[in-house]
Amino acid sequence: MLKVGTVIKIGIADSGVAEPPDKIRTSGLGSCVGVILYDERSKKAGLLHVMLPDSALARSGEINPAKFADTGVSHLIKQMGLPATRLKAKIAGGAQMFQFSTQKDTMRIGPRNVEAVKAELKKLNIPVVSEDTGGSSGRTIEFDPVTYQLSVRTVNVGEKMI
């Protein structure tokens, strides 16, 4: 019997894992960054929807680890139950959605999210295989753990595979 896959949807500041024939998707990537981690041996893939670069920005004592780049990547690796040495990454998002007259670093959330995700992946020795980051438009991404293809649909631009 042929098993029909579903699409696992991940929300903002959330993470999840998919195995074939399922795919995994997140929408609403503006300044947020979607991080795909995948393992070619097990075909397991995880998706993290990062909102902010650093958990030091949390306002309360208890944090949602999936919300921040510095805690989310490790959190997703734990969810996947695989060693980081077997993983590869693809990332998308990190747009600068609004233009500000000030050059303050705090207003550069999208670029800061991308920098923080890359720093965390580098710290864990996980290579970034491909990325579609920056710009000023929102994105929806969907990953297929069989083909390792990440579909990136960008508002007013179209769709591409990375």
Side-chain angles (χ1 to χ4, degrees), residues 15-19 24 35-40 42-48 72-84 86-88 126 143 145:
S15 61
V17 176
E19 294 182 61
I24 194 162
V35 180
I36 296 287
L37 298 179
Y38 64 98
D39 172 42
E40 293 177 343
S42 68
K43 304 271 186 196
K44 194 182 268 191
L47 194 159
L48 170 69
V73 174
S74 299
H75 174 73
L76 181 57
I77 292 169
K78 267 189 207 157
Q79 273 186 298
M80 294 177 73
L82 295 169
R86 286 180 33 187
L87 301 175
K88 295 180 179 177
I126 299 173
F143 186 76

Side-chain angles (χ1 to χ4, degrees), residues 57-122:
L57 298 169
R59 294 183 181 199
S60 64
E62 191 170 321
I63 66 162
N64 169 2
K67 187 174 182 179
F68 304 98
D70 66 329
T71 54
V73 174
S74 299
H75 174 73
L76 181 57
I77 292 169
K78 267 189 207 157
Q79 273 186 298
M80 294 177 73
L82 295 169
T85 54
R86 286 180 33 187
L87 301 175
K88 295 180 179 177
K90 293 188 176 194
I91 62 174
Q96 183 66 41
M97 298 299 288
F98 307 101
Q99 297 301 319
F100 300 99
S101 57
T102 177
Q103 295 294 323
K104 280 183 146 182
D105 195 49
T106 54
M107 303 309 240
R108 299 177 45 253
I109 296 294
R112 287 175 52 218
N113 280 338
V114 172
E115 292 162 11
V117 164
K118 285 182 176 178
E120 198 62 28
L121 292 169
K122 185 175 182 177

Side-chain angles (χ1 to χ4, degrees), residues 6-11 14-27 35-38 44-48 76 79-80 140-145 149-151:
T6 60
V7 176
I8 297 168
K9 295 176 184 168
I10 303 300
D14 196 8
S15 61
V17 176
E19 294 182 61
D22 297 338
K23 296 177 182 177
I24 194 162
R25 174 192 306 156
T26 194
S27 304
V35 180
I36 296 287
L37 298 179
Y38 64 98
K44 194 182 268 191
L47 194 159
L48 170 69
L76 181 57
Q79 273 186 298
M80 294 177 73
T140 293
I141 61 172
E142 183 175 301
F143 186 76
D144 183 340
Q149 290 292 302
L150 181 64
S151 163

Side-chain angles (χ1 to χ4, degrees), residues 119-141:
E120 198 62 28
L121 292 169
K122 185 175 182 177
K123 189 164 56 174
L124 297 167
N125 292 318
I126 299 173
V128 177
V129 175
S130 60
E131 68 176 284
D132 183 57
T133 58
S136 59
S137 299
R139 295 171 172 91
T140 293
I141 61 172

